[in-house]
């Protein structure tokens, strides 16, 4: 359930209170980072995606019909931004380079290693379910894919992770 | 799944500096834009449009809101007006503004009024233009916002019905009806409430049975009966088993919402009307092998003259209104902005779309 303080911040942000909006986003920045890095696998791109998301959310905040869905609404916008960045990226991924993270990617290594062991379609579902605590139906709405697919990806994601860690 | 693997996804993480820096850059940009907007509003105050009620002269004042810019001034001692863009229908606007000036009685003088050498007259300053959207698309003059022809599960879209008159001697006339989901949203500063009224037909509000869950704070009921299709509520008339009554449908001539609660997932606000028809409109819309143009004509005959007025009630007691017309236009699915899905309707398919357009 959304805390009263968060609800107040959303209400103020909708009234174009930039400070309230900033405070509101700060509450969720860690969660947004987890989701962004799950899709993009590097902090620089994740930062770009979050920056774009913040600006879009500010612009479109009054389109949010129900304040209690603020977090999933922001997450949905973030995921779309991540997909846009991924499409635009001209970098050729060198698998050897992935074995050791870049200098700027020295944060959260264990988390990133777990993510890198999975295909992208499993990563986003696993993060939304295990890290963010969304229910299956919520993840289905955020990613616009059927609930049955979500369940399958969770199952296969767990299996792949277990194999990676030699279990 | 092993606990260790779960722990990795649930363990605390550190947000890298690059993420925080870029987030801060976004906040700084927002703040800069907000300050720029505030600065522009201050400049606009000097060119503010005044609505002044004078004892002798007619009020030839015009209102600034949305994308329509106008200028007007009255009385001796006030600043000369800046040249401004005149919108169409000035005469109609002036008439409406006289009515607004009448409402200026009893309203407090604003700061802007005090800034100039205003005559000793009651004033009402129009400020803080608002933006109105329909189905998340901004309404503006010359920019029709189309609705999807299909009524989705979300209850959006529109429904047309027609009943043929009886051909028997003494039989009754037929009728046609429409029900169109509105999904309006008003956005602006210092707005306390938002009101809607309609000149033909009624607002059909599908809302929870429980009054505590309803979002309408005031409403003038529609007098009489009006049969039309219903959008919203998820009530399946064709269901075999009895369904719990979760919603009620009420008709209103006008209603008011709190600015902070203009919509709810369990509430649908539609416009509807039922009109007698001698078969002309029925034939245009539903004739076998009828053309899109004929259907377009039929639908527009049904909608003709339907105007919705949206009024913003500001915290200082002032108001601002816009009018929205409802009509039918032929366009392709791509022109209407419909998403192009695989296996869906091709974008170059032409159809009739109900459109809202600010007047």
């Amino acid at each position: 359930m959304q805390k009263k303080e968060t609800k107040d911040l959303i209400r103020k942000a909708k009234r174009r209170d930039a400070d309230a909006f900033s405070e509101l986003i700060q509450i969720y920045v860690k969660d947004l980072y987890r989701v962004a890095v799950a899709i993009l696998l590097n902090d620089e791109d994740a930062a770009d995606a979050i920056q774009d998301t913040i600006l879009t959310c500010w612009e479109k905040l009054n389109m949010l019909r129900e304040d209690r869905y603020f977090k999933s609404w922001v997450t949905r916008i973030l995921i779309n931004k991540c997909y846009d960045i991924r499409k635009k990226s001209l970098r050729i991924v060198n698998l050897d380079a992935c074995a050791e993270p870049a200098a700027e990617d020295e944060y959260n290594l264990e988390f990133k290693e777990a993510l890198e062991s999975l295909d992208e379609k499993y990563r986003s579902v696993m993060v939304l379910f295990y890290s963010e605590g969304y229910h299956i139906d919520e993840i289905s709405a955020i990613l616009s894919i059927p609930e049955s697919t979500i369940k399958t990806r969770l199952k296969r994601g767990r299996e792949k992770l277990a194999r990676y860690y030699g279990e | 799944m092993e606990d260790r693997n779960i722990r990795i996804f649930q363990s605390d993480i550190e947000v890298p500096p690059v993420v925080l820096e870029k987030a801060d850059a976004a906040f700084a940009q927002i703040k800069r834009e907000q300050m720029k907007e505030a600065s522009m509003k201050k400049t606009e105050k000097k060119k503010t449009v005044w609505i002044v009620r004078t004892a002798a002269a007619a009020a030839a004042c015009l209102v600034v809101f949305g994308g329509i810019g106008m200028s007007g001034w009255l009385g001796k001692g006030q600043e000369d007006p800046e040249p401004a863009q005149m919108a169409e229908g000035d005469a109609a606007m002036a008439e409406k503004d006289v009515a607004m000036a009448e409402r200026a009685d009893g309203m407090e003088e604003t700061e802007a009024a005090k800034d100039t050498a205003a005559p000793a007259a009651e004033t009402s300053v129009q400020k803080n233009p608002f933006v109105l959207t329909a189905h998340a698309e901004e309404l503006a003059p010359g920019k029709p916002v189309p609705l999807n022809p299909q009524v989705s599960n979300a209850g959006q879209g529109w429904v047309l019905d027609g009943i043929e008159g009886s051909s028997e001697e003494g039989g009754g006339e037929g009728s046609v009806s429409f029900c169109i989901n509105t999904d309006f949203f008003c956005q602006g500063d210092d707005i306390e409430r938002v009101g809607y009224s309609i000149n033909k037909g009624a607002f059909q509000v599908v809302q929870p049975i429980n009054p505590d869950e309803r979002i309408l704070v005031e409403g003038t009921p529609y007098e009489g009966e009006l049969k039309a299709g219903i959008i919203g509520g998820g009530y399946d008339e064709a269901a075999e088993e009895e369904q719990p009554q979760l919603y009620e449908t009420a008709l209103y001539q006008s209603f008011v919402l709190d600015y902070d609660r203009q919509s709810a997932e369990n509430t649908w606000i539609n416009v509807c009307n039922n009109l007698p028809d001698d078969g002309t409109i029925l034939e245009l819309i539903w004739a076998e092998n009828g053309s899109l143009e004929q259907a377009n004509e039929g639908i527009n005959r049904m909608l003709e003259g339907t105007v919705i007025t949206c009024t913003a009630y500001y915290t200082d007691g002032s108001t601002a209104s816009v009018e929205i017309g409802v009509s039918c236009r032929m366009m392709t699915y791509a022109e209407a902005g419909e998403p192009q899905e695989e296996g869906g309707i091709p974008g170059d398919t032409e159809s009739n779309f109900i459109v809202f357009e600010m007047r």
Side-chain angles (χ1 to χ4, degrees):
Chain A
M1 187 176 289
Q2 212 173 49
K3 293 180 188 171
K4 186 181 180 301
E5 298 78 29
T6 311
K7 284 185 192 173
D8 289 341
L9 286 173
I10 295 171
R11 199 172 300 125
K12 284 182 185 172
K14 277 184 166 180
R15 288 187 174 274
R16 314 310 284 167
D17 184 336
D19 293 328
F21 178 72
S22 168
E23 205 179 322
L24 180 64
I25 294 291
Q26 300 289 0
I27 295 171
Y28 295 115
V29 73
K30 204 174 270 192
D31 298 325
L32 296 177
Y33 167 70
R34 272 204 200 94
V35 172
V37 85
I39 297 172
L40 296 167
L41 287 180
N42 79 82
D43 293 342
E44 189 71 38
D45 286 346
D48 286 337
I50 290 170
Q51 187 180 47
D52 290 346
T53 299
I54 290 171
L55 294 171
T56 299
C57 286
W58 173 251
E59 189 190 324
K60 308 267 186 205
L61 186 55
N62 279 304
M63 308 297 189
L64 175 65
R65 289 171 63 122
E66 287 283 341
D67 292 356
R68 60 192 163 129
Y69 295 133
F70 175 79
K71 188 185 170 190
S72 54
W73 177 74
V74 174
T75 304
R76 205 163 36 236
I77 291 173
L78 172 70
I79 289 172
N80 287 336
K81 296 292 182 193
C82 289
Y83 291 156
D84 289 342
I85 287 173
R86 205 172 56 182
K87 271 187 233 167
K88 283 180 197 168
S89 174
L90 298 175
R91 280 178 296 178
I92 297 168
V93 177
N94 184 321
L95 289 174
D96 290 335
C98 281
E100 288 182 31
E104 65 271 16
D105 282 354
E106 61 192 39
Y107 295 86
N108 313 305
L109 295 177
E110 192 183 36
F111 180 63
K112 285 176 184 162
E113 186 187 353
L115 291 172
E116 281 164 2
S117 70
L118 301 169
D119 293 341
E120 191 276 320
K121 59 183 177 183
Y122 303 125
R123 291 200 300 264
S124 44
V125 168
M126 296 281 280
V127 164
L128 288 171
F129 188 79
Y130 288 109
S131 304
E132 302 306 308
Y134 285 108
H135 296 183
I136 303 277
D137 58 339
E138 291 170 319
I139 299 172
S140 173
I142 290 171
L143 296 179
S144 300
I145 51 181
E147 290 185 26
S148 54
T149 306
I150 303 290
K151 289 176 189 171
T152 304
R153 289 185 184 180
L154 277 173
K155 181 172 178 285
R156 291 188 183 157
R158 287 194 295 268
E159 288 166 358
K160 280 184 178 281
L161 212 57
R163 276 200 298 276
Y164 177 78
Y165 285 111
E167 288 150 6
Chain B
M1 187 174 175
E2 295 295 334
D3 287 346
R4 178 182 179 275
N5 297 342
I6 297 174
R7 183 179 53 78
I8 294 171
F9 282 86
Q10 295 175 336
S11 58
D12 194 19
I13 54 168
E14 189 181 348
V15 181
V18 65
V19 172
L20 297 173
E21 282 159 17
K22 294 211 172 175
D24 284 342
F27 296 133
Q29 183 178 332
I30 289 169
K31 200 79 180 164
R32 274 196 305 275
E33 283 170 10
Q34 204 181 34
M35 286 170 66
K36 194 175 160 189
E37 276 174 29
S39 167
M40 280 171 68
K41 276 182 186 172
K42 277 187 187 167
T43 310
E44 280 300 315
K45 269 192 177 175
K46 294 178 188 170
K47 316 183 225 174
T48 298
V49 174
W50 297 80
I51 301 172
V52 179
R53 199 178 78 124
T54 63
C61 29
L62 304 167
V63 178
V64 176
F65 61 82
I68 307 171
M70 305 180 177
S71 72
W73 82 106
L74 283 180
K76 204 173 164 184
Q78 293 198 26
E79 291 178 356
D80 284 337
E82 302 237 356
Q85 196 178 354
M86 304 290 285
E88 290 178 7
D90 290 355
M93 293 295 293
E95 198 178 352
K96 189 165 64 163
D97 298 332
V98 167
M100 289 179 75
E102 298 284 347
R103 271 206 296 279
D105 277 333
M107 291 173 76
E108 292 176 9
E109 265 191 313
T110 65
E111 278 186 36
K114 291 171 192 163
D115 282 345
T116 67
E122 290 169 340
T123 61
S124 167
V125 175
Q126 193 54 62
K127 64 175 184 182
N128 298 344
F130 64 87
V131 169
L132 188 66
T133 62
H135 293 277
E137 287 291 329
E138 186 174 330
L139 287 165
K143 185 192 163 192
V145 172
L147 301 192
N148 191 305
Q150 312 298 323
V151 176
S152 69
N153 289 334
Q156 296 177 354
W158 40 280
V159 177
L160 305 178
D161 281 320
I163 299 174
E164 281 185 288
S166 169
S167 56
E168 293 173 7
E169 193 175 330
E173 196 175 29
S175 66
V176 289
S177 67
F178 64 81
C179 181
I180 300 166
N181 183 243
T182 56
D183 199 20
F184 293 137
F185 194 94
C186 169
Q187 177 187 336
D189 295 330
D190 304 318
I191 299 174
E192 198 165 42
R193 288 189 168 182
V194 184
Y196 294 92
S197 61
I198 192 165
N199 66 335
K200 286 185 175 184
F203 290 102
Q204 178 196 84
V205 180
V206 179
Q207 56 189 352
I209 286 278
N210 181 356
D212 292 337
E213 292 179 48
R214 296 177 189 169
I215 61 174
L216 268 63
V217 295
E218 284 173 33
T220 303
Y222 175 83
E223 287 181 18
E225 208 181 324
L226 200 163
K227 285 186 182 171
I230 296 177
I231 295 176
Y235 189 75
D236 184 2
E237 290 176 350
E240 290 176 1
E241 292 176 3
E242 194 175 323
Q243 299 167 66
Q245 196 73 9
L246 300 173
Y247 300 96
E248 68 149 40
T249 303
L251 297 175
Y252 293 91
Q253 201 68 54
S254 64
F255 63 90
V256 177
L257 305 164
D258 269 337
Y259 179 79
D260 288 335
R261 204 167 172 228
Q262 295 185 52
S263 64
E265 270 201 345
N266 53 10
T267 301
W268 292 260
I269 299 176
N270 314 308
V271 295
C272 63
N273 203 356
N274 184 301
L275 303 132
D277 178 52
D278 60 2
T280 306
I281 296 177
L282 270 164
E283 185 62 24
L284 282 168
I285 298 176
W286 285 289
E288 207 169 325
N289 302 320
S291 67
L292 274 181
E293 286 79 6
Q294 285 172 318
N296 182 274
E297 186 189 335
I299 298 170
N300 275 317
R301 285 196 192 196
M302 272 209 288
L303 299 172
E304 192 177 353
T306 303
V307 176
I308 300 159
T309 302
C310 172
T311 301
Y313 296 91
Y314 293 94
T315 51
D316 68 355
S318 61
T319 62
S321 293
V322 297
E323 290 187 337
I324 306 122
V326 190
S327 64
C328 182
R329 293 210 185 180
M330 282 174 54
M331 55 179 77
T332 63
Y333 275 74
E335 285 167 345
E338 289 296 317
Q340 304 303 297
E341 294 168 356
E342 201 175 318
I345 301 173
D348 58 358
T349 304
E350 208 171 17
S351 185
N352 278 306
F353 287 80
I354 299 291
V355 299
F356 293 116
E357 187 173 353
M358 194 177 282
R359 286 153 57 102

